[in-house]
Amino acid sequence: MQFIPALKQGKLLKRYKRFLADIQLDDGSEITIHCPNTGSMRNCLFEGETVWFSTSANPKRKYAHTWELMTTPSGGLIGIHSGNANALAEEAINNGIISELAGYDKFSREVKYGEENSRIDILLEAKDKPACFIEVKSCTLLEDGQGYFPDAVSLRGQKHLRELMHMVSLGHRAVLLFVVQHTEINSVSAAAHIDPEYAKLLKEAVISGVEVLAYRCEITSNEIHLAQACSVRV
């Protein structure tokens, strides 16, 4: 995924009201940009560090700029736009990056499924194999050298694990895919210290046959894409 037009940069002043962030440009002026991440953004907010933002030509938008990347104090990059995770997964599947998800000839997004009124992020189908239901999660939380998900209690995430287990019970293939949008994360684990119920359900899901994959993004100020697998600790 390329950023077209090229991203612009500024310094983070603060994030507030979940959807807004104030940044300072190189000329000293300040602007408010849209924050496309409704989560806690735990350990992703570094005041005074460089942020990268895109600009929309849509005149109807109240805030023309969207926060895309955050620079860490150690020089890493974080993909702030959690909504990009599904697009990054789709791009990687179509380009054969995720070898575990190769060999399907039909790709669908946002298909209704399950027992709890859910929509699957990605559904892969082929005539000669079971349907593959894929839930995509964006992982950006880094603590003590370890990547974690979720970064806050996630009832929605818990529901999705139950739905994936149900798909396995029906004879389908079910996959939880962590899209790691943080260049300093090399391993992902359930955040039992944040959401113990999610960690418990994830262990149950793996035992039931749900597959868990994690792929790490390569990120520059011009491009972000899934590049390589990283380990998962359940």
Side-chain angles (χ1 to χ4, degrees):
M1 176 186 298
Q2 290 187 316
F3 295 114
I4 300 174
L7 300 183
K8 297 178 182 179
Q9 68 182 71
K11 300 292 184 182
L12 178 64
L13 298 176
K14 62 179 179 178
R15 179 232 189 178
Y16 57 102
K17 294 182 179 179
R18 294 177 67 192
F19 298 103
L20 301 176
D22 288 343
I23 65 171
Q24 184 178 60
L25 302 180
D26 291 341
D27 63 5
S29 62
E30 298 179 10
I31 61 172
T32 299
I33 63 176
H34 170 62
C35 177
N37 188 320
T38 61
S40 73
M41 294 179 64
R42 179 166 167 163
N43 286 3
C44 293
L45 300 171
F46 305 104
E47 294 181 2
E49 296 292 340
T50 300
V51 302
W52 299 84
F53 62 91
S54 58
T55 302
S56 172
N58 184 354
K60 296 182 179 180
R61 282 189 48 164
K62 183 176 181 180
Y63 299 101
H65 309 297
T66 299
W67 190 359
E68 300 288 350
L69 306 175
M70 178 81 236
T71 305
T72 72
S74 55
L77 285 170
I78 304 171
I80 296 300
H81 201 320
S82 56
N84 283 341
N86 286 0
L88 290 166
E90 179 176 357
E91 179 184 68
I93 291 170
N94 289 337
N95 291 338
I97 300 299
I98 307 177
S99 58
E100 298 92 337
L101 301 178
Y104 294 88
D105 44 40
K106 184 179 179 182
F107 184 108
S108 304
R109 291 269 299 267
E110 298 295 326
V111 177
K112 289 184 177 181
Y113 85 118
E115 299 180 306
E116 301 183 49
N117 193 30
S118 300
R119 288 181 179 272
I120 194 69
D121 290 319
I122 296 172
L123 174 61
L124 300 179
E125 297 173 277
K127 293 181 179 179
D128 60 344
K129 59 184 69 180
C132 181
F133 291 78
I134 306 168
E135 280 291 346
V136 179
K137 301 298 182 188
S138 178
C139 175
T140 57
L141 174 58
L142 177 66
E143 291 184 349
D144 299 323
Q146 174 66 43
Y148 290 102
F149 182 90
D151 63 2
V153 174
S154 177
L155 298 180
R156 186 168 179 266
Q158 295 171 22
K159 179 182 79 166
H160 290 158
L161 288 175
R162 293 192 297 269
E163 297 282 45
L164 290 177
M165 285 189 275
H166 180 59
M167 291 299 102
V168 172
S169 74
L170 296 178
H172 302 301
R173 185 182 179 195
V175 176
L176 175 64
L177 173 62
F178 290 114
V179 171
V180 181
Q181 295 196 72
H182 194 310
T183 59
E184 296 173 321
I185 291 177
N186 296 305
S187 177
V188 178
S189 176
H193 59 301
I194 296 173
D195 190 343
E197 180 62 21
Y198 185 89
K200 174 177 172 288
L201 283 170
L202 183 57
K203 289 183 179 179
E204 293 176 6
V206 170
I207 292 171
S208 75
V210 175
E211 301 169 51
V212 184
L213 305 175
Y215 271 74
R216 183 169 168 267
C217 287
E218 287 186 356
I219 307 174
T220 70
S221 61
N222 297 315
E223 185 176 3
I224 178 171
H225 62 272
L226 286 186
Q228 60 186 17
C230 59
S231 61
V232 179
R233 299 178 182 179
V234 178

